[in-house]
Amino acid sequence: MKLSIKLAVALLAVGGTLATASLPAAAADEQFIPLLAYRTGSFAPLGIPWADGKMDYLKLVNARDGGVNGVKITYEECETAYATDKGVECYERLKDKNGGASSFDTQSTGITFAVTDKAFNDHVSVVTMGYGLSQSADGTVFKWNFPLLGSYWTAADVMIQDIAKKVGGEDKLKGKKIALVYHDSPYGKEPIHLLKARSEQNGFELLLYPVTAPGVEQKSTWLQIRKERPDYVLLWSAGIMTPTAIREAQAVGYPRDKMYAIWWASSENDVQDLGDVAKGYNGITIHNSAEHGRVHEDLKKYVYDKGQGTDDDGKYFGTIAYTRGLMISMLQVEAIRTAQEKYGKGKHMTPEQVQWGMENLNLTKERLDELGFGKLMQPVKTTCADHMGDDWARIIQWDGKKFNVVSDWYQSDKKYVDPLIKDLSAKYAQEKKLTVRDCASEG
């Protein structure tokens, strides 16, 4: 038994391979990060590059840096097929493994909803960069949730801001029709609160069109759109639903340059097979994730040139969805590093200690440059009360061959977003009978 454990640890140290050995407790020089993924199912076109990016960054940290201050990152991927029940099974199986999961990127809004209540009891962080429960930005209620860098309310608000800019200002939104075509699931419904608040304030008519999963049957939806003739369409889709929507838009003659897609429907794999059919299609990025940075060069040097890259055929490396995966893992690793600054460099961090690191992130421009993310992200700082940090986004547009950044930087308008966060987080605390944290007293 002792020999097999030593062998497993040795393999991890050399290659950064999957942490499949069952150790009775975490080794002092290891830190475990579970990787929930969906490489199968209707969302696989999105899930594969996202999962590749997450795993590759952890490989890079081990290969380039020797881990986090000498603490090797171990990991295990668990397939969910975007099914909530499978995601919960992965969470339950991995949460206590190897000294406890550092944090979970559930890779699904539905799974996030299902495990949030569990996380309060299990004391493990749920990291949802660009998805999940938008109100969980309120750290006084959601101690264990971190919708880092931006939420679906960020995306919806920025879309409305860009539309307002195109029509000549927010006052010109009055009388317009804006449609939301959305995956009929918790994921697709997330932006509705923000869009309703905006429609009441700005005077546009909000049209809602739910699409049943997996989203391959949309003809009736787009016939309604042809009839109602909305000025703009916001698309909350993923996987196979995205190219289906674009083809149906073409079929009814709806202009693709009047469409705005959430970031999970705004990667090359969503439109590359459509070519000019998708020309003019607008997407949104989390921070500046359509850019390439030095981190991509480091990955090639330390991981791919050594034949250790996750993307075997190079199909997804460097795509927007892949880069988002890098960003997610980087945030998880930096939370571990931040925790070590308080609790001891070179030591294994418990899930509770990593939670402290999550809500004390301070990624300055200088630090992002050191990590190779200087072109991809703006500085980000979290606090006990603010678990999202600084939300930034840009608009990209497909030219038939590639996405181009076509806007300056945007942030969500706090006068619309903050009241929703405050109201819905308070309701959640009341329903769940949670004690609201006093961040001032916690120091």
Side-chain angles (χ1 to χ4, degrees):
M1 179 63 181
K2 290 181 180 179
L3 182 61
S4 64
I5 292 175
K6 288 180 180 178
L7 177 60
V9 174
L11 287 172
L12 289 166
V14 173
T17 53
L18 291 180
T20 54
S22 297
L23 301 179
D29 59 349
E30 293 180 359
Q31 193 78 39
F32 178 59
I33 297 179
L35 298 176
L36 272 61
Y38 45 88
R39 297 180 179 275
T40 61
S42 62
F43 280 11
L46 164 65
I48 294 171
W50 187 354
D52 286 351
K54 291 198 301 183
M55 188 180 292
D56 276 349
Y57 187 75
L58 301 183
K59 291 180 179 180
L60 176 64
V61 170
N62 284 338
R64 181 191 63 191
D65 308 331
V68 184
N69 294 314
V71 179
K72 290 283 187 176
I73 302 295
T74 64
Y75 48 91
E76 179 177 336
E77 187 170 285
C78 191
E79 175 64 34
T80 72
Y82 200 77
T84 297
D85 58 344
K86 291 183 179 179
V88 172
E89 288 174 8
C90 288
Y91 170 87
E92 292 291 352
R93 182 167 64 81
L94 299 176
K95 66 182 180 183
D96 297 319
K97 193 162 187 176
N98 296 351
S102 298
S103 57
F104 276 90
D105 161 40
T106 65
Q107 209 166 325
S108 157
T109 296
I111 297 171
T112 302
F113 277 45
V115 303
T116 289
D117 289 348
K118 295 176 179 292
F120 279 99
N121 296 318
D122 297 332
H123 291 189
V124 60
S125 297
V126 180
V127 183
T128 56
M129 190 193 91
Y131 67 98
L133 289 83
S134 299
Q135 65 267 34
S136 65
D138 183 355
T140 67
V141 174
F142 295 91
K143 181 176 181 178
W144 301 95
N145 289 66
F146 293 88
L148 297 169
L149 306 192
S151 69
Y152 288 137
W153 295 346
T154 298
D157 191 78
V158 167
M159 289 175 181
I160 298 300
Q161 287 185 54
D162 197 67
I163 290 171
K165 195 171 185 178
K166 286 182 177 177
V167 300
E170 284 195 10
D171 59 314
K172 300 297 192 298
L173 290 172
K174 188 174 183 180
K176 300 290 186 185
K177 289 183 179 180
I178 298 178
L180 174 67
V181 176
Y182 64 96
H183 191 273
D184 194 8
S185 65
Y187 155 61
K189 295 173 183 177
E190 267 294 297
I192 294 176
H193 283 293
L194 185 284
L195 292 172
K196 284 185 175 179
R198 271 285 200 168
S199 69
E200 291 171 5
Q201 282 286 323
N202 302 140
F204 62 83
E205 182 182 356
L206 177 63
L207 307 174
L208 299 176
Y209 297 105
V211 174
T212 303
V216 294
E217 295 295 335
Q218 298 183 45
K219 290 190 182 298
S220 61
T221 297
W222 289 92
L223 288 174
Q224 291 180 62
I225 288 172
R226 183 171 68 180
K227 179 181 177 182
E228 293 291 339
R229 302 183 66 181
D231 297 280
Y232 292 91
V233 170
L234 312 185
L235 182 62
W236 242 259
S237 66
I240 195 171
M241 180 177 167
T242 302
T244 302
I246 296 170
R247 289 191 182 95
E248 293 296 347
Q250 180 198 35
V252 300
Y254 193 83
R256 266 69 78 206
D257 62 358
K258 299 292 185 181
M259 297 173 67
Y260 282 79
I262 182 58
W263 32 63
W264 308 124
S266 304
S267 189
E268 295 88 348
N269 51 290
D270 294 307
V271 293
Q272 60 191 5
D273 291 339
L274 299 176
D276 286 343
V277 171
K279 191 173 182 178
Y281 177 78
N282 298 294
I284 188 168
T285 67
I286 303 172
H287 280 231
N288 196 28
S289 45
E291 181 61 89
H292 278 200
R294 202 197 71 241
V295 65
H296 294 91
E297 298 172 11
D298 287 354
L299 278 159
K300 187 175 186 305
K301 178 180 178 180
Y302 292 99
V303 179
Y304 277 83
D305 285 354
K306 296 180 180 180
Q308 296 173 359
T310 309
D311 181 16
D312 294 334
D313 57 11
K315 182 179 180 181
Y316 299 114
F317 179 84
T319 62
I320 298 172
Y322 175 92
T323 298
R324 293 194 202 105
L326 300 180
M327 292 164 68
I328 289 171
S329 284
M330 182 272 284
L331 291 166
Q332 292 177 288
V333 169
E334 289 307 296
I336 295 166
R337 193 186 311 277
T338 300
Q340 285 188 7
E341 292 294 328
K342 178 177 174 66
Y343 297 105
K345 284 187 177 181
K347 294 182 179 180
H348 167 85
M349 293 292 104
T350 67
E352 290 86 352
Q353 291 169 337
V354 175
Q355 186 278 338
W356 185 92
M358 284 284 176
E359 66 179 27
N360 286 276
L361 285 171
N362 185 15
L363 296 175
T364 63
K365 177 66 166 64
E366 292 73 22
R367 181 56 183 158
L368 290 170
D369 285 341
E370 289 175 5
L371 293 168
F373 286 81
K375 292 182 179 180
L376 305 175
M377 291 172 57
Q378 295 277 58
V380 176
K381 188 174 184 178
T382 57
T383 66
C384 169
D386 179 9
H387 278 198
M388 180 170 66
D390 304 84
D391 64 341
W392 294 93
R394 303 186 80 171
I395 303 299
I396 54 177
Q397 189 175 65
W398 181 251
D399 68 5
K401 295 182 179 178
K402 66 182 185 306
F403 274 113
N404 301 297
V405 176
V406 293
S407 81
D408 203 348
W409 290 96
Y410 283 109
Q411 279 187 293
S412 63
D413 192 327
K414 302 306 180 188
K415 73 182 179 186
Y416 297 110
V417 174
D418 284 357
L420 287 175
I421 292 175
K422 184 178 180 180
D423 180 49
L424 292 181
S425 63
K427 288 180 179 177
Y428 188 92
Q430 186 176 22
E431 290 171 3
K432 303 294 182 179
K433 296 180 172 56
L434 297 175
T435 300
V436 177
R437 299 167 71 194
D438 182 351
C439 288
S441 68
E442 289 188 24

